[in-house]
Amino acid sequence: MSLFGEVPQATPVAVFKLSNDFKEDPNPKKVNLGVGAYRTDEGQPWVLPVVKKVEKIIVEDNSLNHEYLPILGLPEFRSSASKIALGEDSPAIQENRVGAVQCLGGTGALKMGAEFLRRWYNGNDNTKTPVYVSAPTWENHNAVFANAGFEDVRPYKYWDAEKRGLDLDGFLGDLESAPKHSIFVLHACAHNPTGTDPTHVEWMQVAEVMKRRKLFVFFDSAYQGFASGCLDKDAWAVRYFVTQGFEMFCAQSFSKNFGLYNERVGNLTIVARDSDNLKRVLSQMEKIVRVTWSNPPSQGARLVAITLNTPELFAEWLTAGSGTPGTHTTHTADRHSFTGLNPKQVQYMIKERSIYLMASGRINMCGLTTKNIDYVAESIHETVV
Ligand code: PMP
């Protein structure tokens, strides 16, 4: 009898299972609309030319080595990443109250933020503090916060299926009724999976309630540059909240906008009341990183830092990487789109047409090419009628 005889089989992670099923499908017309990764018109993975260029720079730079990085990560990566989120001339940065932790992808940044908040937020043991995630949201939000010890992860109203748009009244209502100091995970832009973001005026309403009701803002910024094609526009909400005086976290992922999925490049930007608070927060972050991954990896962080800190490379990245505004469908403004297909129709698309998409009906525009778009459109038509 094995010591592992009682281990139950866990369910596979949906989006990765979809990719595996896609790989194994022999149909030459197959299309993967599940995972959001840069693709060529032939549907093959695409490495940004600027990334290749910087990889060469790194290889040829004899001053670089493989010594451990500081526990909190590469300083020039952390500061340049925070600047991308908050803006070059952010007063909070000038006031020395912004710090960061280099993390393993956006997921790592959410994890570090969650672990810190559970231990230290508002001076309490926070296992009972409610954490609100949007309904629907990226599936991992629930689990990351629950796994960090938050026992009360709840949905807040976000998507109005009938209207096929934001349920602003529901959203504001949930903010109004949330217990004081509850934590809210907000998608900075390009909401996953609905592709629907609040307008500026709607964000201002959200901020007003959150400030009045003393709610904690935890931005998840995984798609900066993808909603509008402009880094600054996509950071509008994050920056607005900073102007409103919030102390907050922003988990940043460079997986998508640099196409560096497997390098695990993320950053947790922390905006504190002042530099003294920031210093103590970072000292505790160091403790949490130490027992989690001890020190972060350097390659992806170097790549991003060199690109962001070198004007020509930065300009090249802006045009090649983030300057690709996503395709639009009804009420959505980015790479994700809710097709409105129900789970049965999704199954039909997968089984009969070899078009792979999430059971929720969400598709990722990255998988659409000039070569398959007609086939996808025809197939959706056939499935619906
Ligand atoms: N947040 C959201 C909303 C996401 O969609 C993703 C990636 N799918 C992440 C965070 C995590 O990104 P990473 O791969 O960098 O961990």
Side-chain angles (χ1 to χ4, degrees):
M1 176 63 188
S2 164
L3 293 174
F4 305 124
E6 300 296 310
V7 178
Q9 179 67 41
T11 50
V13 175
V15 69
F16 286 91
K17 178 173 187 305
L18 199 70
S19 289
N20 271 343
D21 292 350
F22 169 78
K23 249 187 216 155
E24 282 166 18
D25 188 333
N27 185 345
K29 286 186 143 178
K30 66 184 177 177
V31 182
N32 187 357
L33 301 178
V35 78
Y38 282 123
R39 288 284 179 267
T40 64
D41 216 30
E42 279 68 48
Q44 293 304 308
W46 189 57
V47 181
L48 296 187
V50 70
V51 164
K52 290 223 173 210
K53 203 184 260 184
V54 180
E55 280 173 335
K56 270 204 196 116
I57 295 174
I58 293 172
V59 170
E60 284 160 14
D61 185 342
N62 289 325
S63 73
L64 297 176
N65 55 48
H66 297 289
E67 297 288 295
Y68 286 118
L69 291 183
I71 293 174
L72 293 180
L74 194 68
E76 59 269 33
F77 165 76
R78 294 158 56 209
S79 58
S80 57
S82 294
K83 271 190 204 153
I84 288 285
L86 304 186
E88 187 81 42
D89 50 2
S90 161
I93 294 178
Q94 281 153 19
E95 290 156 15
N96 292 321
R97 55 189 186 89
V98 174
V101 186
Q102 183 190 326
C103 295
L104 304 200
T107 310
L110 289 164
K111 165 79 175 163
M112 282 301 110
E115 289 287 340
F116 175 89
L117 292 174
R118 207 228 39 254
R119 289 169 168 82
W120 299 111
Y121 167 58
N122 195 29
N124 283 317
D125 165 15
N126 282 291
T127 48
K128 304 277 186 275
T129 302
V131 175
Y132 285 78
V133 299
S134 65
T137 194
W138 179 49
E139 50 169 31
N140 219 10
H141 277 155
N142 288 285
V144 166
F145 282 88
N147 191 256
F150 285 100
E151 291 167 8
D152 188 358
V153 184
R154 318 173 175 181
Y156 62 85
K157 293 193 191 72
Y158 191 84
W159 174 252
D160 182 336
E162 230 153 75
K163 195 175 95 185
R164 301 195 52 70
L166 181 70
D167 176 5
L168 182 68
D169 291 342
F171 187 0
L172 294 175
D174 283 349
L175 290 168
E176 289 285 3
S177 61
K180 206 162 126 185
H181 300 304
S182 294
I183 295 162
F184 273 74
V185 180
L186 304 177
H187 297 230
C189 70
H191 181 271
N192 181 5
T194 68
T196 293
D197 295 327
T199 62
H200 290 186
V201 172
E202 289 166 346
W203 274 126
M204 288 159 100
Q205 289 171 275
V206 169
E208 187 276 318
V209 183
M210 290 193 76
K211 192 167 168 181
R212 176 161 46 78
R213 301 206 31 85
K214 299 192 176 10
L215 303 172
F216 188 81
V217 188
F218 196 150
F219 273 110
D220 182 3
S221 179
Y223 299 97
Q224 192 177 354
F226 278 99
S228 67
C230 167
L231 285 178
D232 295 323
K233 280 190 192 148
D234 282 4
W236 189 89
V238 175
R239 295 176 192 180
Y240 178 74
F241 275 74
V242 176
T243 68
Q244 295 306 295
F246 284 88
E247 290 192 282
M248 60 189 225
F249 286 176
C250 178
Q252 297 170 265
S253 166
F254 291 93
S255 304
K256 331 282 159 130
N257 53 17
F258 267 83
L260 284 174
Y261 316 96
N262 67 11
E263 294 293 347
R264 314 309 298 137
V265 201
N267 189 56
L268 179 68
T269 289
I270 299 148
V271 181
R273 178 75 58 239
D274 51 43
S275 59
D276 179 58
N277 277 290
L278 176 68
K279 191 164 154 243
R280 282 178 283 103
V281 169
L282 289 175
S283 74
Q284 291 298 342
M285 288 288 185
E286 223 174 77
K287 298 282 177 224
I288 301 170
V289 173
R290 182 67 176 152
V291 297
T292 312
W293 53 67
S294 191
N295 323 73
S298 69
Q299 178 74 1
R302 274 179 185 153
L303 247 158
V304 169
I306 292 170
T307 308
L308 298 183
N309 287 321
T310 314
E312 312 84 78
L313 297 171
F314 183 63
E316 194 176 330
W317 174 62
L318 282 186
T319 44
S322 63
T324 320
T327 324
H328 289 236
T329 56
T330 325
H331 296 293
T332 68
D334 70 281
R335 60 158 54 192
H336 299 126
S337 179
F338 248 13
T339 56
L341 294 175
N342 64 36
K344 237 175 114 183
Q345 292 167 327
V346 169
Q347 269 316 304
Y348 181 86
M349 289 277 281
I350 295 175
K351 291 261 150 17
E352 303 300 326
R353 309 294 296 191
S354 295
I355 297 173
Y356 290 77
L357 66 160
M358 298 293 279
S360 63
R362 186 202 78 174
I363 61 169
N364 219 296
M365 298 304 184
C366 304
L368 282 179
T369 68
T370 57
K371 302 199 170 95
N372 67 24
I373 191 158
D374 290 338
Y375 176 66
V376 171
E378 274 161 32
S379 303
I380 292 178
H381 185 75
E382 186 193 284
T383 305
V384 173
V385 291

